[in-house]
Amino acid sequence: MITLHTIAELRSQVKAARIAGKTIGFVPTMGNLHAGHISLITRAREECDFVVSSVFVNPLQFNDKSDLQRYPRTLPEDQAQLDAAGCDLLFAPDVDEMYPNGQDEQSIVHVPVVSEGLCGGSRPGHFDGVSTVVTKLFNQVLPDKAFFGEKDFQQVAVIRKMVDDLCMPVEVVTVPTARAEDGLALSSRNGYLTAEERALAPGLFQTLREIAAELEAGSGPDSVLENATERLNQRGFRTDYLEVRSAESLAEAASGDRRLVILGAAFLGNARLIDNLVVTLNRGIV
Ligand code: PAF
């Protein structure tokens, strides 16, 4: 695997691969890689001839500057994992390479509606930062396919809409959430948990499964979510949101909807964890 730090070098290597007739797969990341990221590389390896990944902690998507500062940067370990997983090229630009005119003068890609509410509500500007950097990375790499984890359900919805609305010639492929044995979704932010918090952390996914079971049993979403919020708080979390949405459009779930996504975000100590569960009910919700 080669590691490159400039857009010019990246473009020239990808161009050579394309001239050699190879299809290009792309896995954008912010580094501090875990098995979830590696499952994206594995999938890209299966589906594409030349696999590019990026490690870039994107300042534009952090509304909280202290969150940006403490975000783990582990490039040597990331390089070793990507190499072992069969990645061909790692692009690891610095902030000046990505934002040469400064972040304040950067043109912004805003994806309406799906980027509002949920994490977009709690983290203002977050999805503008994501859609802007992903647009830049797509224009730099020009991939045939790009791979994203389903754990970031709203992020995937934002990127799919952006690709569709702006006619970007890239196929978005999603990969199921990687979980620890106790159900906790793998995340770079799990590293912020103390041992005690780590033991409580599967409570978020457990709460999502309980919500699914109660909806399946015919209870209405409002009371189910209210009780679930109380339970999640009793489990040691500070609930940010728990919501039930249409899995297709991410719109508020309407009565009769069967294919739903239950989304949750909650603080546990210094970590903000997110997770989701897609369910197809036998009967529509009431
Ligand atoms: O999911 C992430 O790690 C980031 O939001 C992404 C897609 C790499 C953009 O910075």
Side-chain angles (χ1 to χ4, degrees):
M1 184 186 77
I2 51 169
T3 300
L4 301 174
H5 302 282
T6 67
I7 297 163
E9 291 170 303
L10 166 74
R11 283 201 164 124
S12 128
Q13 288 293 325
V14 174
K15 191 172 174 188
R18 194 172 287 289
I19 287 170
K22 296 183 176 178
T23 55
I24 314 297
F26 178 45
V27 180
T29 83
M30 296 206 300
N32 195 234
L33 304 182
H34 51 66
H37 296 109
I38 298 308
S39 71
L40 302 179
I41 299 287
T42 304
R43 182 73 177 273
R45 187 67 285 161
E46 284 163 9
E47 295 195 16
C48 302
D49 303 319
F50 190 76
V51 177
V52 179
S53 186
S54 60
V55 169
F56 177 62
V57 182
N58 173 32
L60 214 57
Q61 70 187 74
F62 285 80
N63 56 311
D64 173 352
K65 291 306 160 204
S66 62
D67 190 23
L68 170 64
Q69 262 161 12
R70 71 174 177 158
Y71 200 87
R73 283 134 171 113
T74 52
L75 191 60
E77 291 85 351
D78 295 342
Q79 281 172 308
Q81 286 196 66
L82 289 169
D83 196 14
C87 179
D88 295 301
L89 191 164
L90 168 61
F91 178 49
D94 64 16
V95 173
D96 289 342
E97 183 70 8
M98 287 299 281
Y99 299 112
N101 301 320
Q103 292 167 58
D104 293 341
E105 291 191 21
Q106 172 62 48
S107 304
I108 296 297
V109 178
H110 174 69
V111 182
V113 187
V114 283
S115 58
E116 287 144 25
L118 303 168
C119 286
S122 312
R123 304 180 65 191
H126 169 66
F127 286 117
D128 285 358
V130 171
S131 37
T132 300
V133 81
V134 171
T135 298
K136 290 177 72 106
L137 289 164
F138 281 0
N139 285 337
Q140 291 156 3
V141 178
L142 300 177
D144 297 288
K145 296 187 182 188
F147 298 80
F148 295 88
E150 286 168 9
K151 185 180 111 340
D152 299 306
F153 195 93
Q154 189 178 12
Q155 171 169 281
V156 169
V158 168
I159 289 167
R160 279 195 190 285
K161 180 168 164 55
M162 175 184 87
V163 163
D164 196 34
D165 284 355
L166 300 179
C167 309
M168 295 180 174
V170 52
E171 184 186 333
V172 174
V173 180
T174 61
V175 176
T177 303
R179 296 186 181 279
E181 269 184 17
D182 58 11
L184 176 65
L186 299 190
S187 164
S188 302
R189 291 175 193 274
N190 294 349
Y192 300 148
L193 299 170
T194 63
E196 197 184 321
E197 289 159 357
R198 173 62 188 81
L200 298 174
L204 176 58
F205 189 50
Q206 195 182 328
T207 305
L208 301 187
R209 283 189 308 216
E210 289 163 0
I211 294 171
E214 287 170 32
L215 295 175
E216 186 65 89
S219 304
D222 290 348
S223 63
V224 168
L225 292 174
E226 198 179 311
N227 295 337
T229 301
E230 211 168 290
R231 261 192 332 270
L232 188 56
N233 291 340
Q234 277 161 9
R235 286 179 169 142
F237 288 81
R238 182 162 57 82
T239 304
D240 182 356
Y241 64 77
L242 285 174
E243 291 205 32
V244 182
R245 299 274 184 117
S246 154
E248 314 302 340
S249 65
L250 211 53
E252 302 272 335
S255 95
D257 280 355
R258 289 184 51 220
R259 213 172 134 60
L260 303 168
V261 56
I262 304 159
L263 303 118
F267 294 92
L268 192 53
N270 287 325
R272 180 175 177 278
L273 305 182
I274 62 169
D275 205 348
N276 67 81
L277 178 61
V278 174
V279 286
T280 305
L281 303 182
N282 289 323
R283 293 168 296 166
I285 52 163
V286 290

